[in-house]
Amino acid sequence: MSRMIFVNLPVADLPRAMRFYTALGFANNPQFSDETAACMVWSDAIYVMLLTHAKWQGFTTRPICPPGSSEVSLALALDDRAEVDHLVEVGAAHGGTADVNPPEDHGFMYQRSLLDPDGHVWEPFWMDAAFAGGEAKTEEAAR
């Protein structure tokens, strides 16, 4: 079996959360979804499990973070700056909040943030491939 990541997120309203993630381009895998959870697929290796609060509490006794707090930030690498902007705009149009953290533009890397309807922070970003591969220095990539 290849390495994969399943990000588990507690959600207050499962249908609303599914609509939000579908709008961002995630696909639902009905094989691992029911009235308490939805498996949303980003790629062959990245899955987001949306869990109702009751289902979430079956996995841990730790409390769900209160609204307005953050426990993690989930970064998604995208192909270009335009895709970063598009994902944030689509998310904001479907119940999310754009730019809960200030956008960052370092020339070689561009990042924005998106809060989902349940307060989970996503940070779509683009990074220059030459810089990421070590082929370009920061100053070169910024040009």
Side-chain angles (χ1 to χ4, degrees):
M1 184 172 183
S2 64
R3 292 181 181 227
M4 299 181 287
I5 185 168
F6 287 78
V7 176
N8 298 295
L9 300 175
V11 299
D13 182 331
L14 185 58
R16 177 188 70 185
M18 290 178 69
R19 286 190 301 274
F20 176 82
Y21 284 93
T22 298
L24 295 183
F26 287 74
N28 177 250
N29 179 338
Q31 181 179 1
F32 299 104
S33 300
D34 61 22
E35 66 280 347
T36 66
C39 178
M40 304 301 289
V41 181
W42 178 255
S43 73
D44 290 341
I46 303 171
Y47 302 80
V48 173
M49 293 297 301
L50 304 173
L51 307 172
T52 63
H53 286 188
K55 181 80 165 191
W56 174 268
Q57 291 165 338
F59 290 102
T60 182
T61 58
R62 296 179 53 83
I64 295 170
C65 291
S69 64
S70 294
E71 191 167 295
V72 297
S73 176
L74 305 159
L76 290 174
L78 300 174
D79 291 333
D80 56 44
R81 293 168 180 263
E83 193 175 359
V84 170
D85 290 337
H86 178 74
L87 190 74
V88 171
E89 290 162 12
V90 168
H94 287 85
T97 304
D99 300 318
V100 294
N101 297 315
E104 295 183 33
D105 188 346
H106 302 284
F108 66 92
M109 186 177 85
Y110 176 64
Q111 175 180 317
R112 293 183 64 189
S113 59
L114 175 65
L115 197 67
D116 80 2
D118 288 282
H120 306 295
V121 178
W122 289 89
E123 292 187 338
F125 73 96
W126 162 84
M127 185 179 296
D128 181 273
F131 178 80
E135 300 158 15
K137 295 185 171 136
T138 304
E139 307 84 48
E140 295 170 0
R143 287 185 214 142

